[in-house]
């Protein structure tokens, strides 16, 4: 029976550069053992680390996004062990690392400021970027293109609709568990997104970028909400308020809702699958909707099928509710 590989020093961590290991006296032969893989040239990691992102037992888009980000984050930290000085993660890689719900192709996108030489290696897509088109920040120990410049950089491969959804995600103001807003935690401000869109000459896609920035709003908490808002505008519905605190006549907070037509006392709740699968969320929703009804609000509940289905009916449902609540049919 073959002998198991000898243990490695704990301070190397689960993934490390071969050079660092050799510097601690680890032999090249030990680095070729079957308990280690080489995700990038000059990097080693334990094989069992590669399945770590699959431990999430939930299902649905939220779980898929979390698992994808865990994989990209793990790979980015691995490549950071051998990353050339001055380089940074950009494009879809930076967007995922910032927390955006966007597909990632697998290879890490790594940028350098022009005229630097973009890295070329297995698993890496190198990019050379003009200095005026990117700013860099450190996030979770990694050098990334800033959220605003990441958003603008993706204009060459995203549609206007996708750019609006990503811009909404960048500009969203997070709330804590008590419902309090924290503007300081937003990834980017509208001012920063506008500045990135107007940064100057860039590859084709500037037209889409400038069209998208006019439609980005603060308050959408998911791509599904952005899609509803864009479709509602196309369908001629009045523009709603987003991420609104609904209060009783004496000021008591009844709930926070994503899409609100205040003039018509109409609330649109766009529900992801967690509203159905989480018992606590389900109970909170029932209590909130009861409080809304007692305060004179009507609630329209939509799911992804109403918005993305083969025959979406969400806009029609909301239009009928608005007309029932006194809307004259003219956008406001």
């Amino acid at each position: 029976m073959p002998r198991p590989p000898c243990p490695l020093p704990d301070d190397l961590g689960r993934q490390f550069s071969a050079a660092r290991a050799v510097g601690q006296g680890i032999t090249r032969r030990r680095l070729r053992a079957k308990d280690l893989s080489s995700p990038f040239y000059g990097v080693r990691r334990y094989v069992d680390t590669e399945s770590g992102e699959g431990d999430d037992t939930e299902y649905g888009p939220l779980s898929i996004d979390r698992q994808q980000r865990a994989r990209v984050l793990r790979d980015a930290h691995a490549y950071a062990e051998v990353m050339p000085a001055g380089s940074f993660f950009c494009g879809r890689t930076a967007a995922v690392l910032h927390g955006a719900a966007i597909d990632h192709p697998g290879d890490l996108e790594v940028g350098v400021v022009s005229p630097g030489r973009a890295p070329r290696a297995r698993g890496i897509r190198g990019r050379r970027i003009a200095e005026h088109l990117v700013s860099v920040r450190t996030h979770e120990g990694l050098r990334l293109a800033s959220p605003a410049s990441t958003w603008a950089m993706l204009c060459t491969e995203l549609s206007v609709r996708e750019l609006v959804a990503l811009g909404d995600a960048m500009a969203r103001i997070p709330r804590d568990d008590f419902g309090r807003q924290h503007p300081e935690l937003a990834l980017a401000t509208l001012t920063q997104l506008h500045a990135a869109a107007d940064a100057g000459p860039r590859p084709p896609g500037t037209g889409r970028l400038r069209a998208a920035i006019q439609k980005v709003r603060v308050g959408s908490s998911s791509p599904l909400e952005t899609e509803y808002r864009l479709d509602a505008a196309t369908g001629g519905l009045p523009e709603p308020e987003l991420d609104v605190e609904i209060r009783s006549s004496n000021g008591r907070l009844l709930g926070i809702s994503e899409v609100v037509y205040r003039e018509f006392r109409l609330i649109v709740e766009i529900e992801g699958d967690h509203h159905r699968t989480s018992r606590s969320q389900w109970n909170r929703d029932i209590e909130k909707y009861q409080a809304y009804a007692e305060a004179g609000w009507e609630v329209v509940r939509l799911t992804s099928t109403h918005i993305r289905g083969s025959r979406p009916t969400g806009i029609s449902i909301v239009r009928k509710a608005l007309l029932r609540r006194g809307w004259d049919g003219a956008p406001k």
Side-chain angles (χ1 to χ4, degrees):
M1 177 179 293
R3 297 175 58 184
C6 63
L8 296 175
D10 291 340
D11 62 354
L12 280 177
R14 302 299 296 174
Q15 45 192 22
F16 47 86
S17 70
R20 186 154 61 90
V22 170
Q24 293 192 31
I26 308 302
T27 66
R28 295 285 182 181
R29 180 177 180 181
R30 174 63 184 89
L31 295 177
R32 293 193 296 270
K34 292 184 178 180
D35 64 331
L36 300 176
S37 67
S38 179
F40 307 104
Y41 180 78
V43 176
R44 299 292 186 275
R45 71 170 162 222
Y46 285 97
V47 171
D48 60 1
T49 302
E50 298 184 350
S51 60
E53 77 276 6
D55 295 339
D56 192 336
T57 56
E58 298 180 59
Y59 298 93
L62 286 176
S63 176
I64 292 170
D65 288 340
R66 281 195 293 267
Q67 292 182 35
Q68 175 180 256
R69 186 176 186 276
R71 172 181 60 79
V72 175
L73 183 64
R74 182 202 65 204
D75 287 349
H77 276 293
Y79 185 67
E81 293 277 345
V82 294
M83 199 168 180
S87 58
F88 50 88
F89 296 105
C90 62
R92 288 178 182 265
T93 298
V96 169
L97 292 174
H98 282 306
I102 185 172
D103 289 338
H104 192 274
D107 288 356
L108 299 180
E109 293 183 64
V110 179
V112 296
V113 171
S114 183
R117 183 177 180 182
R120 293 287 185 270
R122 171 175 52 88
I124 301 299
R125 178 187 170 197
R127 299 182 61 175
R128 190 166 61 184
I129 303 165
E131 185 175 8
H132 71 280
L133 295 181
V134 65
S135 61
V136 178
R137 66 171 58 174
T138 299
H139 179 66
E140 296 189 80
L142 299 168
R143 282 172 51 83
L144 312 180
S146 71
S149 54
T150 295
W151 171 76
M153 199 179 305
L154 286 167
C155 72
T156 60
E157 53 189 280
L158 298 183
S159 67
V160 170
R161 190 179 179 92
E162 291 168 329
L163 284 168
V164 175
L166 182 57
D168 280 2
M170 297 299 190
R172 184 179 70 87
I173 297 176
R175 291 182 181 268
D176 61 24
D177 292 341
F178 299 97
R180 296 173 300 208
Q181 288 186 317
H182 288 273
E184 74 280 4
L185 298 181
L187 293 174
T189 64
L190 286 179
T191 298
Q192 290 169 335
L193 293 177
H194 274 281
D198 296 334
R202 66 171 65 246
T206 302
R208 290 196 297 274
L209 196 61
R210 290 177 176 163
I213 192 58
Q214 302 305 317
K215 300 178 181 180
V216 173
R217 300 288 185 272
V218 176
S220 287
S221 62
S222 72
L224 198 60
E225 291 172 27
T226 297
E227 291 181 45
Y228 166 80
R229 180 171 57 79
L230 294 176
D231 290 342
T234 300
L237 301 190
E239 181 155 354
E241 296 177 54
L242 306 176
D243 191 28
V244 178
E245 296 177 4
I246 305 298
R247 296 184 179 274
S248 66
S249 57
N250 63 6
R252 181 172 66 89
L253 181 66
L254 303 178
I256 300 170
S257 288
E258 301 96 338
V259 179
V260 175
Y261 297 93
R262 190 184 300 272
E263 180 180 352
F264 307 105
R265 306 284 286 181
L266 181 71
I267 293 169
V268 178
E269 290 279 335
I270 300 172
E271 300 181 349
D273 207 42
H274 67 287
H275 288 263
R276 177 183 62 84
T277 59
S278 168
R279 182 179 296 274
S280 59
Q281 180 69 55
W282 178 263
N283 290 332
R284 284 196 300 271
D285 287 346
I286 290 177
E287 293 174 1
K288 182 173 73 171
Y289 299 149
Q290 180 62 37
Y292 285 176
E294 292 174 358
W297 292 88
E298 179 177 346
V299 178
V300 173
R301 302 170 68 184
L302 303 179
T303 68
S304 61
T305 300
H306 295 110
I307 298 168
R308 294 175 176 165
S310 58
R311 299 180 66 182
T313 57
I315 304 307
S316 174
I317 292 171
V318 175
R319 177 182 287 106
K320 291 176 183 177
L322 284 167
L323 291 170
R324 188 168 60 246
R325 304 288 292 188
W327 177 49
D328 63 6
K332 295 183 183 294

